[in-house]
Amino acid sequence: MEQLKQKIRSEGVVLSDRVLKVDAFLNHQIDPLLMKQIGEEFARRFRDEGITKIVTIEASGIAPAIMAGLELGVPVIFARKHQSLTMTDHLLTASVYSFTKQVESTIAISTNHLSADDRVLIIDDFLANGKAAKGLIAIIQQAGASIAGLGIVIEKSFQVGRQELEEAGFRVESLARVQSLREGQVQFID
């Protein structure tokens, strides 16, 4: 997706060989027009998959997931990282380690919103080691729902996430595949 790559080049900040900061348009400040285009692209790629729900993880996956949900006409569920007073019973949970935040979180989705009848599209902002994706997959499988695939805004292709997910049989569609962040430069695949 060329618009996304241009935005990464112009506003992304390479912090190290493994960390790309995109808080100017994706995970702190949000560019609504870009999110709309991202939602349209995910919808185009997964339109024929019979999607009934989109699942993401709070907070950075919410904007692209909502836009894809709007395009596909389906509800969006976000896995919560923090316990809520209103969300205590009948939870599907998984443990997820965040490399960026250096913290382990328990993510949760209520059983009221996900069932074996659902066909789910997972959307997330980044794919690196695949820990968040695997946590969401575990929750969706606990519900007995089927997984149509994963829509990733930015993939760090030099890390193992995509390979492990594909080896497990999951379809991965990434809108921008980063080959390298060496020497402060973003290099894309494609």
Side-chain angles (χ1 to χ4, degrees):
M1 191 176 156
E2 198 52 42
Q3 304 96 313
L4 175 60
K5 290 178 185 176
Q6 288 173 5
K7 197 71 146 173
I8 293 167
R9 284 186 194 105
S10 65
E11 297 182 33
V13 178
V14 177
L15 297 180
S16 74
D17 288 356
R18 296 175 65 98
V19 180
L20 173 63
K21 183 177 178 181
V22 290
D23 69 344
F25 60 90
L26 179 60
N27 56 21
H28 190 47
Q29 176 172 271
I30 296 170
D31 180 329
L33 179 57
L34 180 63
M35 290 308 113
K36 183 177 184 301
Q37 294 166 334
I38 285 170
E40 291 167 350
E41 182 61 18
F42 282 139
R44 185 186 71 74
R45 293 184 187 201
F46 288 98
R47 190 168 310 281
D48 298 328
E49 291 293 325
I51 307 296
T52 62
K53 301 266 174 76
I54 293 175
V55 169
T56 191
I57 193 166
E58 69 175 348
S60 301
I62 294 174
I66 285 174
M67 292 301 179
L70 184 64
E71 284 296 312
L72 291 171
V74 300
V76 175
I77 305 165
F78 65 89
R80 292 187 176 205
K81 293 180 187 174
H82 304 286
Q83 190 79 20
S84 164
L85 292 175
T86 62
M87 197 170 139
T88 57
D89 296 329
H90 311 290
L91 299 178
L92 306 165
T93 63
S95 186
V96 174
Y97 179 76
S98 169
F99 169 79
T100 309
K101 295 181 179 85
Q102 300 283 301
V103 68
E104 184 101 14
S105 300
T106 298
I107 59 171
I109 291 177
S110 171
T111 57
N112 295 332
H113 303 304
L114 200 55
S115 76
D117 296 330
D118 286 314
R119 181 130 172 96
V120 178
L121 170 60
I122 296 170
I123 291 189
D124 207 1
D125 61 338
F126 272 95
L127 174 62
N129 291 311
K131 302 296 186 199
K134 289 175 186 174
L136 293 173
I137 289 166
I139 285 175
I140 293 162
Q141 290 175 334
Q142 288 170 42
S146 64
I147 299 169
L150 294 94
I152 306 298
V153 179
I154 301 170
E155 174 190 322
K156 293 189 230 172
S157 298
F158 54 88
Q159 292 182 266
V160 299
R162 179 187 195 95
Q163 178 184 339
E164 290 180 358
L165 292 168
E166 286 182 336
E167 286 173 358
F170 295 104
R171 175 182 172 192
V172 179
E173 293 283 341
S174 300
L175 303 186
R177 296 186 65 196
V178 176
Q179 181 176 11
S180 167
L181 296 172
R182 279 178 287 201
E183 299 177 14
Q185 298 296 314
V186 180
Q187 301 294 325
F188 293 104
I189 294 175
D190 299 329

